Amino acid sequence: PISPQTGEPVQALLRRLRALQGERAEAYRLLEQGHRAYLSSAPHYDFPRYRQLVHEITVAFNSISREVLSIAGRLQDELARPDLAQHLSRLQEREQEKLQLTARLQLAQQQAQDQPHVDAHQQEVLIKTIEAISEILQDLKYDSEEAE
């Protein structure tokens, strides 16, 4: 049961969360695009450019993560929605895992290009993590609809 006073702030925070997830998706798109460009520069890889891109993406991810954690804190402490805050905590854990897996997969892609042997297992683990993120977002959507 949600009080009418907290329904609108909860929805505003969840709209901001959706925007942040969109920013995260765009950052992944840029990272993937940059990685493809990096791989295409073989055998003389343009590592300084790729390293700068990774730095910029890391800064963006850190900023997004801080804001998501802030939203989770407000849901928990100010708006009495620990259920939604828990979804955001799970989301953050999976997003961190996804980023680590993405980095490993990109390294594996470079190694596969340099010494052809693809590690399909890492790609499979990444796909399962992305699916878990989608499930968390669906749970969050379902549980937050009662706030409307």
Side-chain angles (χ1 to χ4, degrees), residues 14-71:
L14 295 177
R15 280 191 297 276
R16 181 61 190 144
L17 175 69
R18 283 190 291 278
L20 289 167
Q21 284 299 107
E23 290 175 26
R24 238 191 281 240
E26 177 65 11
Y28 272 112
R29 190 187 66 73
L30 292 172
L31 183 61
E32 183 58 34
Q33 186 177 48
H35 188 251
R36 278 195 310 273
Y38 172 69
L39 289 179
S40 72
S41 70
H44 306 292
Y45 292 109
D46 186 357
F47 186 70
R49 175 179 280 171
Y50 181 64
R51 182 179 53 213
Q52 179 61 33
L53 171 69
V54 169
H55 171 74
E56 291 167 9
I57 297 296
T58 300
V59 169
F61 280 136
N62 285 339
S63 173
I64 291 166
S65 291
R66 278 193 304 276
E67 192 167 349
V68 170
L69 292 172
S70 170
I71 290 171

